Amino acid sequence: MQTLIEKSQKKIVRTKMDFVRNYIYEFDWNTQLVGIRGARGIGKTTLLLQYIKMYLLDEIDAVLYVSLDDIWFSDNRLVTLVDQFVKHGGKYLFLDEVHKYPDWSVEIKNIYDDYPELKVVFTGSSLLEILNSRADLSRRAIMYEMQGLSFREYLNLELGFNFKIYTLEEILNNHFVISQDIINKIRPLQYFEKYLTKGYYPIFRESIKLYYTKIDEIINTILEVELPLLRNISPAYIQKLKQLLYVISESSPFIPNISGLSTRIGINRETLLTYLFNIHEAQLIFEAYQDVKGVTRLQKPDKIFMENSNLMYALRGDSVEIGNVRETFFANQLKHKHILELAGKSDFHIDGKYTFEIGGKNKDTGQISGIQNSYLALDNIECGHKNRIPLWLFGFLY
């Protein structure tokens, strides 16, 4: 255990605090069992270590951070570690990458029941299931979702600003004043394209030249390791999953012809729909519907987007179409806190109340004419007017 304690304290000491994501203030860390899900590369580990450094340094001897893919666990059990940790005064346990540990949910359930004085926070893949896990953690764990950087967070991280979050209603009702306030500090369009291409995953700070290489590694790990591990997908089908992802990226947002796609990929309809849902869960794509009520995992999506615009550029290079990038950005930023549905004559319905059409600066209101609570989200404008709102400003929602 001493080896793990030393590793934990070294990682905490090395953790930078110059940029902290707002999740650290939004999550309720005081409950006995907290779970955080999210795709690889979005900063779950950093969030844990920053929380420790921000709030628990005065009790550092009672804190332990461990990653469950550590080689130590190849010959040791988690419950054994916890027993020793608690007996030596442990109060706060942070478990990273729990999906890498066999029967993780059973052991965490036992830890919860047997050590009520211990606060546990765990992270895992976005594919992680709580409701259907072997141990019933749904009544015990409070679960949170993380996604990649918003445009606001990217600016704060890259430039050292502290731009605030705005609600959707604030943006719709007061976008001109908000835009002016931001423009007085920076020129947002100067950085918007950089964010769309290489700004969603915090790993851009490590090496911008290797950014797409690292995204490829994230994609491969999800397809080759996490999906077989957590969805029991045979390794023999991994190449078909890669082919499927590449086909979708060709024209994202992709309007799926399930029969044609099934023939092209070489798998039957039901399997294809299951694979699509699995890739959606893994936060590589986003399945969109005109009506999200009662949607099942075997229902054909009306459109398929790449989960974020950086994935589009990583997979397709400069061949991506800017109109598709704009829609992907809008969907990605809105779906995090809002109900996003496809609209009939326009692009999106949000929360069953607002209608949006996405486009360039010269887009007219023809497609939303006569529609109540309708707006244009327009690229390449700094400030808007009435129902014409800068597209980049929707990157300040989280």
Side-chain angles (χ1 to χ4, degrees):
M1 186 174 78
Q2 188 59 37
T3 300
L4 294 178
I5 291 174
E6 292 174 3
K7 286 183 180 179
S8 172
Q9 295 189 351
K10 286 180 181 178
K11 287 182 179 179
I12 294 166
V13 168
R14 290 197 301 261
T15 299
K16 296 180 180 179
M17 301 298 294
D18 55 330
F19 169 77
V20 177
R21 300 194 67 183
N22 219 62
Y23 291 116
I24 211 164
Y25 310 109
E26 294 175 355
F27 295 169
D28 182 0
W29 302 86
N30 292 318
T31 53
Q32 186 183 344
L33 184 60
V34 176
I36 302 171
R37 302 193 315 168
R40 299 185 65 82
I42 60 170
K44 299 187 297 298
T45 299
T46 299
L47 191 78
L48 295 190
L49 295 170
Q50 286 180 331
Y51 175 79
I52 296 169
K53 198 165 186 175
M54 186 178 292
Y55 295 109
L56 299 176
L57 278 186
D58 289 344
E59 299 182 82
I60 194 63
D61 290 336
V63 175
L64 180 62
Y65 162 88
V66 293
S67 179
L68 293 188
D69 62 355
D70 192 291
I71 194 171
W72 189 89
F73 291 102
S74 63
D75 199 36
N76 296 274
R77 293 184 63 197
L78 175 60
V79 290
T80 304
L81 170 67
V82 170
D83 184 66
Q84 291 299 310
F85 178 57
V86 172
K87 286 177 179 177
H88 285 82
K91 297 178 182 178
Y92 307 96
L93 180 64
F94 295 82
L95 305 174
D96 212 359
E97 303 272 22
V98 296
H99 58 282
K100 299 289 185 67
Y101 184 88
D103 294 327
W104 63 271
S105 58
V106 175
E107 294 205 24
I108 289 179
K109 183 260 185 188
N110 290 336
I111 291 166
Y112 177 95
D113 293 338
D114 296 341
Y115 303 94
E117 70 278 26
L118 180 68
K119 284 188 169 62
V120 179
V121 181
F122 66 90
T123 77
S125 164
S126 52
L127 289 159
L128 205 66
E129 288 188 350
I130 297 301
L131 293 175
N132 298 324
S133 60
R134 285 181 54 198
D136 185 7
L137 292 180
S138 61
R139 293 181 295 105
R140 295 170 170 84
I142 294 180
M143 291 300 301
Y144 295 102
E145 291 273 353
M146 283 182 65
Q147 70 173 38
L149 298 175
S150 66
F151 181 46
R152 179 194 71 89
E153 291 178 306
Y154 169 77
L155 292 173
N156 287 346
L157 177 57
E158 182 76 341
L159 304 177
F161 283 97
N162 189 28
F163 290 116
K164 61 172 285 189
I165 293 172
Y166 294 96
T167 67
L168 179 59
E169 286 71 23
E170 286 174 329
I171 289 175
L172 298 182
N173 296 326
N174 207 26
H175 60 85
F176 181 80
V177 173
I178 295 171
S179 298
Q180 285 293 331
D181 183 59
I182 296 169
I183 291 166
N184 286 337
K185 299 178 177 69
I186 63 160
R187 293 292 186 182
L189 294 179
Q190 180 182 351
Y191 301 96
F192 191 46
E193 183 179 353
K194 296 178 182 178
Y195 168 78
L196 294 175
T197 55
K198 294 183 177 181
Y200 186 71
Y201 298 93
I203 53 175
F204 77 82
R205 297 184 83 188
E206 299 172 13
S207 171
I208 200 69
K209 290 182 179 179
L210 296 176
Y211 185 72
Y212 290 144
T213 299
K214 291 181 179 295
I215 290 182
D216 286 341
E217 291 173 357
I218 289 171
I219 294 172
N220 286 332
T221 300
I222 290 171
L223 297 182
E224 297 174 1
V225 178
E226 294 186 359
L227 282 170
L229 178 68
L230 298 173
R231 291 296 176 270
N232 295 317
I233 293 177
S234 169
Y237 285 90
I238 300 306
Q239 191 56 42
K240 292 186 181 296
L241 289 176
K242 291 182 179 180
Q243 186 181 357
L244 177 59
L245 195 63
Y246 194 75
V247 169
I248 292 170
S249 71
E250 284 180 329
S251 57
S252 174
F254 179 76
I255 302 175
N257 177 331
I258 296 300
S259 298
L261 190 57
S262 176
T263 300
R264 180 172 176 179
I265 302 298
I267 51 180
N268 65 53
R269 175 187 174 87
E270 185 172 325
T271 301
L272 174 60
L273 289 171
T274 298
Y275 284 177
L276 287 172
F277 184 78
N278 292 156
I279 300 173
H280 165 88
E281 286 183 298
Q283 295 185 5
L284 291 177
I285 64 172
F286 171 62
E287 296 185 320
Y289 300 85
Q290 289 196 10
D291 185 354
V292 299
K293 300 183 187 68
V295 169
T296 67
R297 66 175 58 201
L298 290 180
Q299 183 173 332
K300 182 182 83 69
D302 296 306
K303 274 188 181 181
I304 302 174
F305 296 83
M306 296 305 297
E307 203 277 335
N308 63 79
S309 60
N310 288 194
L311 287 172
M312 299 174 70
Y313 284 99
L315 290 169
R316 303 299 303 176
D318 294 331
S319 65
V320 296
E321 202 275 317
I322 188 59
N324 295 340
V325 172
R326 292 165 179 159
E327 288 186 39
T328 299
F329 164 78
F330 184 88
N332 172 268
Q333 302 287 286
L334 270 291
K335 70 180 176 61
H336 183 53
K337 290 186 176 180
H338 297 272
I339 299 172
L340 183 143
E341 296 172 311
L342 299 174
K345 295 182 179 179
S346 54
D347 289 323
F348 299 106
H349 280 148
I350 303 299
D351 297 335
K353 181 178 181 181
Y354 305 111
T355 299
F356 289 91
E357 180 71 17
I358 318 301
K361 62 181 180 180
N362 296 320
K363 185 84 173 180
D364 62 37
T365 59
Q367 288 179 265
I368 58 172
S369 178
I371 300 176
Q372 192 174 9
N373 295 320
S374 60
Y375 303 86
L376 293 175
L378 302 179
D379 197 7
N380 293 317
I381 64 170
E382 281 193 333
C383 287
H385 178 66
K386 293 185 177 179
N387 69 339
R388 299 168 62 87
I389 303 175
L391 178 64
W392 61 263
L393 190 53
F394 293 95
F396 280 68
L397 290 168
Y398 75 89

